[in-house]
PDB file of all heavy atoms in Angstrom:
ATOM      1  N   ASP A 857      -1.807  15.062  12.647  1.00  0.00           N
ATOM      2  CA  ASP A 857      -1.661  13.730  12.069  1.00  0.00           C
ATOM      3  C   ASP A 857      -3.028  13.221  11.629  1.00  0.00           C
ATOM      4  O   ASP A 857      -3.978  13.244  12.406  1.00  0.00           O
ATOM      5  CB  ASP A 857      -1.054  12.760  13.085  1.00  0.00           C
ATOM      6  CG  ASP A 857       0.377  13.120  13.442  1.00  0.00           C
ATOM      7  OD1 ASP A 857       1.104  13.568  12.544  1.00  0.00           O
ATOM      8  OD2 ASP A 857       0.758  12.953  14.607  1.00  0.00           O
ATOM      9  N   PHE A 858      -3.119  12.765  10.384  1.00  0.00           N
ATOM     10  CA  PHE A 858      -4.354  12.268   9.789  1.00  0.00           C
ATOM     11  C   PHE A 858      -4.286  10.752   9.670  1.00  0.00           C
ATOM     12  O   PHE A 858      -3.321  10.220   9.108  1.00  0.00           O
ATOM     13  CB  PHE A 858      -4.563  12.867   8.396  1.00  0.00           C
ATOM     14  CG  PHE A 858      -4.909  14.327   8.380  1.00  0.00           C
ATOM     15  CD1 PHE A 858      -3.948  15.289   8.679  1.00  0.00           C
ATOM     16  CD2 PHE A 858      -6.187  14.741   8.050  1.00  0.00           C
ATOM     17  CE1 PHE A 858      -4.263  16.642   8.658  1.00  0.00           C
ATOM     18  CE2 PHE A 858      -6.512  16.088   8.021  1.00  0.00           C
ATOM     19  CZ  PHE A 858      -5.547  17.044   8.333  1.00  0.00           C
ATOM     20  N   MET A 859      -5.311  10.060  10.168  1.00  0.00           N
ATOM     21  CA  MET A 859      -5.414   8.613  10.053  1.00  0.00           C
ATOM     22  C   MET A 859      -6.733   8.250   9.379  1.00  0.00           C
ATOM     23  O   MET A 859      -7.794   8.733   9.776  1.00  0.00           O
ATOM     24  CB  MET A 859      -5.355   7.939  11.429  1.00  0.00           C
ATOM     25  CG  MET A 859      -3.961   7.879  12.042  1.00  0.00           C
ATOM     26  SD  MET A 859      -3.337   9.467  12.618  1.00  0.00           S
ATOM     27  CE  MET A 859      -4.467   9.833  13.949  1.00  0.00           C
ATOM     28  N   VAL A 860      -6.676   7.409   8.363  1.00  0.00           N
ATOM     29  CA  VAL A 860      -7.878   6.954   7.664  1.00  0.00           C
ATOM     30  C   VAL A 860      -8.622   5.952   8.548  1.00  0.00           C
ATOM     31  O   VAL A 860      -8.002   5.113   9.204  1.00  0.00           O
ATOM     32  CB  VAL A 860      -7.516   6.312   6.321  1.00  0.00           C
ATOM     33  CG1 VAL A 860      -8.741   5.664   5.669  1.00  0.00           C
ATOM     34  CG2 VAL A 860      -6.912   7.349   5.380  1.00  0.00           C
ATOM     35  N   VAL A 861      -9.949   6.060   8.569  1.00  0.00           N
ATOM     36  CA  VAL A 861     -10.780   5.157   9.360  1.00  0.00           C
ATOM     37  C   VAL A 861     -11.911   4.594   8.501  1.00  0.00           C
ATOM     38  O   VAL A 861     -12.288   5.172   7.478  1.00  0.00           O
ATOM     39  CB  VAL A 861     -11.383   5.865  10.592  1.00  0.00           C
ATOM     40  CG1 VAL A 861     -10.288   6.218  11.595  1.00  0.00           C
ATOM     41  CG2 VAL A 861     -12.163   7.108  10.186  1.00  0.00           C
ATOM     42  N   GLN A 862     -12.432   3.438   8.948  1.00  0.00           N
ATOM     43  CA  GLN A 862     -13.601   2.828   8.328  1.00  0.00           C
ATOM     44  C   GLN A 862     -14.502   2.280   9.421  1.00  0.00           C
ATOM     45  O   GLN A 862     -14.041   1.939  10.512  1.00  0.00           O
ATOM     46  CB  GLN A 862     -13.211   1.678   7.400  1.00  0.00           C
ATOM     47  CG  GLN A 862     -12.653   2.089   6.060  1.00  0.00           C
ATOM     48  CD  GLN A 862     -12.493   0.905   5.121  1.00  0.00           C
ATOM     49  OE1 GLN A 862     -13.059  -0.163   5.332  1.00  0.00           O
ATOM     50  NE2 GLN A 862     -11.727   1.084   4.064  1.00  0.00           N
ATOM     51  N   PHE A 863     -15.795   2.199   9.107  1.00  0.00           N
ATOM     52  CA  PHE A 863     -16.719   1.489   9.976  1.00  0.00           C
ATOM     53  C   PHE A 863     -16.546  -0.005   9.730  1.00  0.00           C
ATOM     54  O   PHE A 863     -16.646  -0.483   8.610  1.00  0.00           O
ATOM     55  CB  PHE A 863     -18.166   1.893   9.687  1.00  0.00           C
ATOM     56  CG  PHE A 863     -18.562   3.188  10.343  1.00  0.00           C
ATOM     57  CD1 PHE A 863     -18.920   4.284   9.588  1.00  0.00           C
ATOM     58  CD2 PHE A 863     -18.586   3.302  11.727  1.00  0.00           C
ATOM     59  CE1 PHE A 863     -19.293   5.479  10.192  1.00  0.00           C
ATOM     60  CE2 PHE A 863     -18.954   4.482  12.339  1.00  0.00           C
ATOM     61  CZ  PHE A 863     -19.309   5.578  11.566  1.00  0.00           C
ATOM     62  N   LEU A 864     -16.259  -0.746  10.792  1.00  0.00           N
ATOM     63  CA  LEU A 864     -16.069  -2.185  10.690  1.00  0.00           C
ATOM     64  C   LEU A 864     -16.680  -2.841  11.922  1.00  0.00           C
ATOM     65  O   LEU A 864     -16.327  -2.501  13.050  1.00  0.00           O
ATOM     66  CB  LEU A 864     -14.571  -2.526  10.608  1.00  0.00           C
ATOM     67  CG  LEU A 864     -14.212  -3.989  10.388  1.00  0.00           C
ATOM     68  CD1 LEU A 864     -14.698  -4.458   9.017  1.00  0.00           C
ATOM     69  CD2 LEU A 864     -12.699  -4.179  10.507  1.00  0.00           C
ATOM     70  N   ASP A 865     -17.630  -3.750  11.711  1.00  0.00           N
ATOM     71  CA  ASP A 865     -18.301  -4.431  12.824  1.00  0.00           C
ATOM     72  C   ASP A 865     -18.948  -3.444  13.792  1.00  0.00           C
ATOM     73  O   ASP A 865     -18.962  -3.663  15.006  1.00  0.00           O
ATOM     74  CB  ASP A 865     -17.319  -5.341  13.584  1.00  0.00           C
ATOM     75  CG  ASP A 865     -16.723  -6.413  12.693  1.00  0.00           C
ATOM     76  OD1 ASP A 865     -17.421  -6.860  11.764  1.00  0.00           O
ATOM     77  OD2 ASP A 865     -15.564  -6.801  12.916  1.00  0.00           O
ATOM     78  N   GLY A 866     -19.457  -2.353  13.236  1.00  0.00           N
ATOM     79  CA  GLY A 866     -20.132  -1.366  14.070  1.00  0.00           C
ATOM     80  C   GLY A 866     -19.220  -0.390  14.778  1.00  0.00           C
ATOM     81  O   GLY A 866     -19.695   0.440  15.563  1.00  0.00           O
ATOM     82  N   TRP A 867     -17.915  -0.448  14.507  1.00  0.00           N
ATOM     83  CA  TRP A 867     -16.952   0.432  15.151  1.00  0.00           C
ATOM     84  C   TRP A 867     -16.180   1.228  14.107  1.00  0.00           C
ATOM     85  O   TRP A 867     -15.955   0.760  12.998  1.00  0.00           O
ATOM     86  CB  TRP A 867     -15.952  -0.376  15.993  1.00  0.00           C
ATOM     87  CG  TRP A 867     -16.571  -1.135  17.114  1.00  0.00           C
ATOM     88  CD1 TRP A 867     -17.077  -2.409  17.075  1.00  0.00           C
ATOM     89  CD2 TRP A 867     -16.779  -0.665  18.439  1.00  0.00           C
ATOM     90  NE1 TRP A 867     -17.567  -2.765  18.295  1.00  0.00           N
ATOM     91  CE2 TRP A 867     -17.404  -1.721  19.167  1.00  0.00           C
ATOM     92  CE3 TRP A 867     -16.496   0.523  19.104  1.00  0.00           C
ATOM     93  CZ2 TRP A 867     -17.745  -1.600  20.508  1.00  0.00           C
ATOM     94  CZ3 TRP A 867     -16.827   0.645  20.434  1.00  0.00           C
ATOM     95  CH2 TRP A 867     -17.446  -0.406  21.131  1.00  0.00           C
ATOM     96  N   MET A 868     -15.748   2.427  14.485  1.00  0.00           N
ATOM     97  CA  MET A 868     -14.857   3.195  13.639  1.00  0.00           C
ATOM     98  C   MET A 868     -13.434   2.753  13.951  1.00  0.00           C
ATOM     99  O   MET A 868     -12.943   2.945  15.068  1.00  0.00           O
ATOM    100  CB  MET A 868     -15.011   4.694  13.923  1.00  0.00           C
ATOM    101  CG  MET A 868     -14.212   5.576  12.983  1.00  0.00           C
ATOM    102  SD  MET A 868     -14.919   5.664  11.328  1.00  0.00           S
ATOM    103  CE  MET A 868     -16.096   7.005  11.545  1.00  0.00           C
ATOM    104  N   ARG A 869     -12.770   2.132  12.974  1.00  0.00           N
ATOM    105  CA  ARG A 869     -11.455   1.543  13.215  1.00  0.00           C
ATOM    106  C   ARG A 869     -10.430   2.075  12.215  1.00  0.00           C
ATOM    107  O   ARG A 869     -10.772   2.486  11.109  1.00  0.00           O
ATOM    108  CB  ARG A 869     -11.523   0.016  13.094  1.00  0.00           C
ATOM    109  CG  ARG A 869     -12.498  -0.665  14.049  1.00  0.00           C
ATOM    110  CD  ARG A 869     -12.448  -2.179  13.863  1.00  0.00           C
ATOM    111  NE  ARG A 869     -13.441  -2.874  14.653  1.00  0.00           N
ATOM    112  CZ  ARG A 869     -13.281  -3.245  15.915  1.00  0.00           C
ATOM    113  NH1 ARG A 869     -12.153  -2.963  16.538  1.00  0.00           N
ATOM    114  NH2 ARG A 869     -14.242  -3.887  16.564  1.00  0.00           N
ATOM    115  N   MET A 870      -9.147   1.996  12.627  1.00  0.00           N
ATOM    116  CA  MET A 870      -8.057   2.400  11.751  1.00  0.00           C
ATOM    117  C   MET A 870      -7.452   1.222  10.997  1.00  0.00           C
ATOM    118  O   MET A 870      -6.743   1.418  10.015  1.00  0.00           O
ATOM    119  CB  MET A 870      -6.969   3.120  12.549  1.00  0.00           C
ATOM    120  CG  MET A 870      -7.396   4.485  13.061  1.00  0.00           C
ATOM    121  SD  MET A 870      -6.044   5.385  13.878  1.00  0.00           S
ATOM    122  CE  MET A 870      -5.963   4.506  15.449  1.00  0.00           C
ATOM    123  N   TYR A 871      -7.714  -0.015  11.460  1.00  0.00           N
ATOM    124  CA  TYR A 871      -7.123  -1.188  10.817  1.00  0.00           C
ATOM    125  C   TYR A 871      -7.960  -2.437  11.068  1.00  0.00           C
ATOM    126  O   TYR A 871      -8.796  -2.480  11.975  1.00  0.00           O
ATOM    127  CB  TYR A 871      -5.697  -1.423  11.321  1.00  0.00           C
ATOM    128  CG  TYR A 871      -5.560  -1.502  12.814  1.00  0.00           C
ATOM    129  CD1 TYR A 871      -5.872  -2.669  13.515  1.00  0.00           C
ATOM    130  CD2 TYR A 871      -5.120  -0.406  13.545  1.00  0.00           C
ATOM    131  CE1 TYR A 871      -5.749  -2.746  14.884  1.00  0.00           C
ATOM    132  CE2 TYR A 871      -4.993  -0.464  14.924  1.00  0.00           C
ATOM    133  CZ  TYR A 871      -5.309  -1.634  15.587  1.00  0.00           C
ATOM    134  OH  TYR A 871      -5.193  -1.699  16.948  1.00  0.00           O
ATOM    135  N   ARG A 872      -7.725  -3.452  10.246  1.00  0.00           N
ATOM    136  CA  ARG A 872      -8.345  -4.761  10.420  1.00  0.00           C
ATOM    137  C   ARG A 872      -7.466  -5.624  11.333  1.00  0.00           C
ATOM    138  O   ARG A 872      -6.244  -5.457  11.370  1.00  0.00           O
ATOM    139  CB  ARG A 872      -8.490  -5.474   9.076  1.00  0.00           C
ATOM    140  CG  ARG A 872      -9.282  -4.735   8.018  1.00  0.00           C
ATOM    141  CD  ARG A 872      -9.300  -5.548   6.728  1.00  0.00           C
ATOM    142  NE  ARG A 872      -9.944  -4.824   5.634  1.00  0.00           N
ATOM    143  CZ  ARG A 872      -9.316  -3.962   4.850  1.00  0.00           C
ATOM    144  NH1 ARG A 872      -8.026  -3.722   5.029  1.00  0.00           N
ATOM    145  NH2 ARG A 872      -9.972  -3.338   3.884  1.00  0.00           N
ATOM    146  N   GLY A 873      -8.086  -6.568  11.995  1.00  0.00           N
ATOM    147  CA  GLY A 873      -7.317  -7.536  12.780  1.00  0.00           C
ATOM    148  C   GLY A 873      -6.456  -6.866  13.821  1.00  0.00           C
ATOM    149  O   GLY A 873      -6.874  -5.934  14.504  1.00  0.00           O
ATOM    150  N   ASP A 874      -5.196  -7.335  13.930  1.00  0.00           N
ATOM    151  CA  ASP A 874      -4.306  -6.777  14.949  1.00  0.00           C
ATOM    152  C   ASP A 874      -3.459  -5.627  14.431  1.00  0.00           C
ATOM    153  O   ASP A 874      -2.671  -5.039  15.182  1.00  0.00           O
ATOM    154  CB  ASP A 874      -3.407  -7.872  15.532  1.00  0.00           C
ATOM    155  CG  ASP A 874      -2.518  -8.543  14.475  1.00  0.00           C
ATOM    156  OD1 ASP A 874      -2.410  -8.014  13.349  1.00  0.00           O
ATOM    157  OD2 ASP A 874      -1.938  -9.595  14.795  1.00  0.00           O
ATOM    158  N   GLY A 875      -3.583  -5.281  13.148  1.00  0.00           N
ATOM    159  CA  GLY A 875      -2.881  -4.127  12.608  1.00  0.00           C
ATOM    160  C   GLY A 875      -1.374  -4.284  12.499  1.00  0.00           C
ATOM    161  O   GLY A 875      -0.650  -3.291  12.362  1.00  0.00           O
ATOM    162  N   ARG A 876      -0.878  -5.501  12.538  1.00  0.00           N
ATOM    163  CA  ARG A 876       0.571  -5.697  12.528  1.00  0.00           C
ATOM    164  C   ARG A 876       1.196  -5.586  11.137  1.00  0.00           C
ATOM    165  O   ARG A 876       2.413  -5.504  11.013  1.00  0.00           O
ATOM    166  CB  ARG A 876       0.916  -7.047  13.155  1.00  0.00           C
ATOM    167  CG  ARG A 876       0.614  -7.110  14.640  1.00  0.00           C
ATOM    168  CD  ARG A 876       1.073  -8.424  15.258  1.00  0.00           C
ATOM    169  NE  ARG A 876       0.744  -8.471  16.675  1.00  0.00           N
ATOM    170  CZ  ARG A 876       1.518  -7.980  17.636  1.00  0.00           C
ATOM    171  NH1 ARG A 876       2.667  -7.400  17.312  1.00  0.00           N
ATOM    172  NH2 ARG A 876       1.168  -8.065  18.899  1.00  0.00           N
ATOM    173  N   ALA A 877       0.365  -5.573  10.104  1.00  0.00           N
ATOM    174  CA  ALA A 877       0.867  -5.393   8.739  1.00  0.00           C
ATOM    175  C   ALA A 877       0.370  -4.057   8.199  1.00  0.00           C
ATOM    176  O   ALA A 877      -0.751  -3.625   8.503  1.00  0.00           O
ATOM    177  CB  ALA A 877       0.391  -6.531   7.840  1.00  0.00           C
ATOM    178  N   ASN A 878       1.185  -3.403   7.406  1.00  0.00           N
ATOM    179  CA  ASN A 878       0.758  -2.121   6.834  1.00  0.00           C
ATOM    180  C   ASN A 878      -0.539  -2.271   6.048  1.00  0.00           C
ATOM    181  O   ASN A 878      -1.406  -1.386   6.069  1.00  0.00           O
ATOM    182  CB  ASN A 878       1.858  -1.565   5.930  1.00  0.00           C
ATOM    183  CG  ASN A 878       2.990  -0.926   6.715  1.00  0.00           C
ATOM    184  OD1 ASN A 878       2.771  -0.173   7.647  1.00  0.00           O
ATOM    185  ND2 ASN A 878       4.217  -1.243   6.315  1.00  0.00           N
ATOM    186  N   GLU A 879      -0.684  -3.403   5.366  1.00  0.00           N
ATOM    187  CA  GLU A 879      -1.876  -3.627   4.549  1.00  0.00           C
ATOM    188  C   GLU A 879      -3.139  -3.754   5.390  1.00  0.00           C
ATOM    189  O   GLU A 879      -4.250  -3.652   4.852  1.00  0.00           O
ATOM    190  CB  GLU A 879      -1.683  -4.887   3.698  1.00  0.00           C
ATOM    191  CG  GLU A 879      -0.624  -4.761   2.614  1.00  0.00           C
ATOM    192  CD  GLU A 879       0.802  -4.873   3.155  1.00  0.00           C
ATOM    193  OE1 GLU A 879       0.979  -5.216   4.341  1.00  0.00           O
ATOM    194  OE2 GLU A 879       1.729  -4.594   2.371  1.00  0.00           O
ATOM    195  N   ASP A 880      -3.001  -3.989   6.693  1.00  0.00           N
ATOM    196  CA  ASP A 880      -4.170  -4.045   7.579  1.00  0.00           C
ATOM    197  C   ASP A 880      -4.777  -2.661   7.803  1.00  0.00           C
ATOM    198  O   ASP A 880      -5.945  -2.545   8.172  1.00  0.00           O
ATOM    199  CB  ASP A 880      -3.785  -4.616   8.956  1.00  0.00           C
ATOM    200  CG  ASP A 880      -3.388  -6.080   8.892  1.00  0.00           C
ATOM    201  OD1 ASP A 880      -3.774  -6.766   7.936  1.00  0.00           O
ATOM    202  OD2 ASP A 880      -2.682  -6.527   9.824  1.00  0.00           O
ATOM    203  N   TRP A 881      -3.976  -1.624   7.611  1.00  0.00           N
ATOM    204  CA  TRP A 881      -4.397  -0.253   7.913  1.00  0.00           C
ATOM    205  C   TRP A 881      -5.155   0.328   6.729  1.00  0.00           C
ATOM    206  O   TRP A 881      -4.709   0.253   5.591  1.00  0.00           O
ATOM    207  CB  TRP A 881      -3.185   0.607   8.254  1.00  0.00           C
ATOM    208  CG  TRP A 881      -2.589   0.235   9.576  1.00  0.00           C
ATOM    209  CD1 TRP A 881      -1.904  -0.914   9.878  1.00  0.00           C
ATOM    210  CD2 TRP A 881      -2.642   1.002  10.776  1.00  0.00           C
ATOM    211  NE1 TRP A 881      -1.519  -0.913  11.190  1.00  0.00           N
ATOM    212  CE2 TRP A 881      -1.959   0.247  11.776  1.00  0.00           C
ATOM    213  CE3 TRP A 881      -3.182   2.228  11.119  1.00  0.00           C
ATOM    214  CZ2 TRP A 881      -1.824   0.706  13.083  1.00  0.00           C
ATOM    215  CZ3 TRP A 881      -3.041   2.694  12.418  1.00  0.00           C
ATOM    216  CH2 TRP A 881      -2.373   1.930  13.379  1.00  0.00           C
ATOM    217  N   PHE A 882      -6.306   0.915   7.016  1.00  0.00           N
ATOM    218  CA  PHE A 882      -7.160   1.442   5.948  1.00  0.00           C
ATOM    219  C   PHE A 882      -6.515   2.603   5.218  1.00  0.00           C
ATOM    220  O   PHE A 882      -6.862   2.898   4.079  1.00  0.00           O
ATOM    221  CB  PHE A 882      -8.514   1.852   6.519  1.00  0.00           C
ATOM    222  CG  PHE A 882      -9.263   0.706   7.138  1.00  0.00           C
ATOM    223  CD1 PHE A 882      -9.670   0.764   8.464  1.00  0.00           C
ATOM    224  CD2 PHE A 882      -9.541  -0.428   6.419  1.00  0.00           C
ATOM    225  CE1 PHE A 882     -10.352  -0.295   9.047  1.00  0.00           C
ATOM    226  CE2 PHE A 882     -10.218  -1.503   6.987  1.00  0.00           C
ATOM    227  CZ  PHE A 882     -10.621  -1.421   8.307  1.00  0.00           C
ATOM    228  N   GLY A 883      -5.570   3.274   5.864  1.00  0.00           N
ATOM    229  CA  GLY A 883      -4.909   4.397   5.213  1.00  0.00           C
ATOM    230  C   GLY A 883      -3.750   4.013   4.319  1.00  0.00           C
ATOM    231  O   GLY A 883      -3.297   4.831   3.508  1.00  0.00           O
ATOM    232  N   TRP A 884      -3.269   2.791   4.454  1.00  0.00           N
ATOM    233  CA  TRP A 884      -2.092   2.377   3.690  1.00  0.00           C
ATOM    234  C   TRP A 884      -2.347   2.503   2.188  1.00  0.00           C
ATOM    235  O   TRP A 884      -3.273   1.906   1.642  1.00  0.00           O
ATOM    236  CB  TRP A 884      -1.722   0.943   4.041  1.00  0.00           C
ATOM    237  CG  TRP A 884      -0.583   0.377   3.256  1.00  0.00           C
ATOM    238  CD1 TRP A 884      -0.671  -0.566   2.267  1.00  0.00           C
ATOM    239  CD2 TRP A 884       0.805   0.698   3.380  1.00  0.00           C
ATOM    240  NE1 TRP A 884       0.585  -0.860   1.784  1.00  0.00           N
ATOM    241  CE2 TRP A 884       1.510  -0.095   2.445  1.00  0.00           C
ATOM    242  CE3 TRP A 884       1.520   1.576   4.202  1.00  0.00           C
ATOM    243  CZ2 TRP A 884       2.891  -0.020   2.303  1.00  0.00           C
ATOM    244  CZ3 TRP A 884       2.904   1.647   4.058  1.00  0.00           C
ATOM    245  CH2 TRP A 884       3.568   0.856   3.129  1.00  0.00           C
ATOM    246  N   GLY A 885      -1.551   3.304   1.522  1.00  0.00           N
ATOM    247  CA  GLY A 885      -1.675   3.487   0.088  1.00  0.00           C
ATOM    248  C   GLY A 885      -2.796   4.416  -0.347  1.00  0.00           C
ATOM    249  O   GLY A 885      -3.045   4.559  -1.549  1.00  0.00           O
ATOM    250  N   ALA A 886      -3.468   5.075   0.608  1.00  0.00           N
ATOM    251  CA  ALA A 886      -4.556   5.992   0.255  1.00  0.00           C
ATOM    252  C   ALA A 886      -4.016   7.197  -0.515  1.00  0.00           C
ATOM    253  O   ALA A 886      -2.873   7.622  -0.314  1.00  0.00           O
ATOM    254  CB  ALA A 886      -5.281   6.459   1.511  1.00  0.00           C
TER     255      ALA A 886
END
């Protein structure tokens, strides 16, 4: 399973905020 990640606030994260919306996830629509 592949998940897109980004550096955000000094951390490697998969989503912004609480991730409750698909659009919060960095991989959505990649």
